[in-house]
Amino acid sequence: MPRGRVLFAASEVYPFAKTGGLADVGYSLPRALCETFDMTVVMPLYRAIDREAFGITDAGEAFDVSLGGEVYRVSLYECTYEGCDYRFVYAPLLCEREYLYGPPGEGYEDNALRFGLFSHAIVRLARQMRSDIVHLNDWQTALAALLIAEDERATAGTVYTIHNLAYQGVFGKENRALLGIGRRHFTLEGVEYYDKVNLMKAGIGFADAVTTVSPTYAQEILTAQFGCGLEGYLHRHRAKLQGIVNGIDTEHFSPTSDTALVRTYASPQGKRHNKEVFLDTAGLRGAEKPLFIFIGRFTWQKGMDLLIEALPKMAECECNIAVLGEGEAQYHDRLEAIPCRSCIVSAGSPTPSLRTASAELRRLPDAASVLKRQHAKR
């Protein structure tokens, strides 16, 4: 029986580019599926990606995409990394930026056009590769579901995965025509959202199947409390909505084999060595003290208000605290204002593996979890 051809599309994939958990899924899931399917991962070839380090070469293929009266030249690049095939989409509009989506706390004004161009390139690549399934992820690739549904030449089925419902890709209605979205789709049943274009609705409404990160979350987002304004739309499409728990990559993220660690380990002493290096890098003292680490985006959704409220009390304890991430400026300012000699706030260096391997305490409830607990006590 021939193996199915799957094109996995994401705006970020570890280790090439990463701002959040999507990149980790983009790395681990295709590798796991390679055992069953012929997998190809496609992502933008951002300026910050080290082409030489990853052996990324010109695929010798290019095509034009017309959007809003302009013609954009798209070039394809490729590499094989850890047994998985990757295709990279390069166009200056999409890739030549300092940040993936914009400076911390804001997005580039032309992100609709940037990732609309990426979505059109995904559709073109899927046709070229004769993909059986195109797996789309978050708002940056959601438009491709609508484009494939409308393309008579396209034969692929589509799966759309919601990783973060709070980020929906909402832009001014002038982007409808610019992105090649027909007027008949600018409705409540299509991509219209309070007289704006909502790209996530394109993924939810036009993909053949919609998944999210757990069965529980799939139920939660159907409610007003957690639906981020799309609960009604999701409810209308609930027949194709399924929650699948995100897996854990025990091969890559294992302290016994992770090459990103200073020293791999299977005992507390090995953990201490990594912790000492981390503390030295972070400018903290006292390897005997418990180390608490928060790693995440600085938004309310990640429980930042709860963390900031708790930090002064935590700082009274004999421990070290590292708050690592980027996000909204208000949270950076509030964190920096907390008097705490044993606390650092950083954009997230060194490597994610070393941070996690160094800490005794890491997990923090997100805002949704706390809201559920408060509701259960009523």
Side-chain angles (χ1 to χ4, degrees):
M1 182 176 179
R3 288 158 57 95
R5 295 182 294 270
V6 178
L7 180 64
F8 184 97
S11 59
E12 57 183 82
V13 177
Y14 176 86
F16 308 103
K18 172 180 165 68
T19 67
L22 170 60
D24 295 324
V25 176
Y27 166 76
S28 299
L29 181 57
R31 289 174 69 241
L33 293 176
C34 276
E35 299 178 6
T36 308
F37 299 96
D38 288 332
M39 297 293 301
T40 301
V41 180
V42 60
M43 66 171 291
L45 184 58
Y46 299 111
R47 182 174 65 191
I49 295 175
D50 190 333
R51 303 185 189 188
E52 183 176 352
F54 293 112
I56 299 172
T57 58
D58 192 333
E61 302 173 46
F63 51 83
D64 293 330
V65 174
S66 297
L67 293 174
E70 297 288 336
V71 177
Y72 299 94
R73 190 66 172 173
V74 174
S75 301
L76 298 180
Y77 290 74
E78 62 187 359
C79 80
T80 299
Y81 181 78
E82 295 188 354
C84 196
D85 294 330
Y86 292 85
R87 288 295 186 99
F88 299 88
V89 170
Y90 178 79
L93 173 75
L94 173 63
C95 302
E96 294 297 333
R97 303 294 170 99
E98 182 177 358
Y99 302 94
L100 269 61
Y101 313 119
E106 58 184 286
Y108 292 121
E109 291 185 358
D110 61 349
N111 272 349
L113 181 58
R114 293 179 66 219
F115 291 99
L117 175 60
F118 182 43
S119 291
H120 278 268
I122 291 168
V123 177
R124 182 73 170 260
L125 185 59
R127 285 204 312 264
Q128 175 185 311
M129 299 179 65
R130 298 182 180 179
S131 301
D132 298 304
I133 299 172
V134 179
H135 188 167
L136 307 167
N137 295 271
D138 274 349
W139 71 263
Q140 295 91 344
T141 61
L143 178 60
L146 187 158
L147 298 175
I148 290 173
E150 291 290 289
D151 188 348
E152 295 180 353
R153 296 166 294 178
T155 58
T158 50
V159 178
Y160 177 64
T161 298
I162 302 168
H163 297 269
N164 193 331
L165 187 62
Y167 296 91
Q168 300 175 9
V170 179
F171 300 97
K173 64 181 179 181
E174 66 276 6
N175 288 284
R176 177 197 63 76
L178 182 67
L179 298 178
I181 302 173
R183 188 182 300 275
R184 64 194 180 92
H185 293 308
F186 193 66
T187 64
L188 287 176
E189 293 298 320
V191 301
E192 191 272 335
Y193 185 78
Y194 294 98
D195 206 33
K196 295 183 177 181
V197 171
N198 185 317
L199 293 179
M200 182 172 281
K201 288 186 70 179
I204 296 169
F206 293 90
D208 297 309
V210 179
T211 70
T212 190
V213 296
S214 77
T216 300
Y217 190 56
Q219 293 301 312
E220 289 176 346
I221 61 178
L222 298 178
T223 69
Q225 191 172 16
F226 302 111
C228 299
L230 288 183
E231 60 275 5
Y233 195 69
L234 284 162
H235 206 269
R236 285 196 290 276
H237 293 281
R238 66 188 181 278
K240 62 180 179 181
L241 174 64
Q242 183 177 4
I244 302 174
V245 176
N246 274 347
I248 299 173
D249 187 345
T250 56
E251 178 183 340
H252 183 77
F253 296 107
S254 170
T256 62
S257 59
D258 192 342
T259 57
L261 300 183
V262 176
R263 179 186 297 174
T264 57
Y265 67 89
S267 68
Q269 184 56 39
K271 180 180 182 69
R272 182 184 176 92
H273 184 77
N274 284 277
K275 181 180 178 181
E276 289 172 346
V277 172
F278 174 84
L279 292 175
D280 183 63
T281 303
L284 297 171
R285 297 177 179 272
E288 73 283 353
K289 299 177 184 178
L291 172 61
F292 173 89
I293 290 185
F294 169 88
I295 305 173
R297 189 175 288 113
F298 292 178
T299 69
W300 74 270
Q301 191 186 34
K302 300 300 182 181
M304 289 305 300
D305 295 290
L306 304 170
L307 174 64
I308 291 170
E309 181 182 343
L311 274 178
K313 191 69 175 178
M314 293 171 60
E316 295 176 6
C317 303
E318 282 293 314
C319 69
N320 284 308
I321 302 169
V323 181
L324 308 174
E326 296 180 338
E328 298 174 24
Q330 61 157 321
Y331 292 118
H332 284 272
D333 295 341
R334 290 169 63 187
L335 286 166
E336 294 288 357
I338 296 174
C340 177
R341 292 183 179 179
S342 60
C343 179
I344 64 158
V345 179
S346 167
S349 182
T351 66
S353 294
L354 180 58
R355 303 175 222 157
T356 301
S358 302
E360 283 81 23
L361 303 165
R362 181 190 162 182
R363 190 162 300 279
L364 182 79
D366 60 22
S369 298
V370 173
L371 284 171
K372 283 191 287 185
R373 290 177 186 173
Q374 291 175 339
H375 182 74
K377 292 177 181 178
R378 293 174 185 171

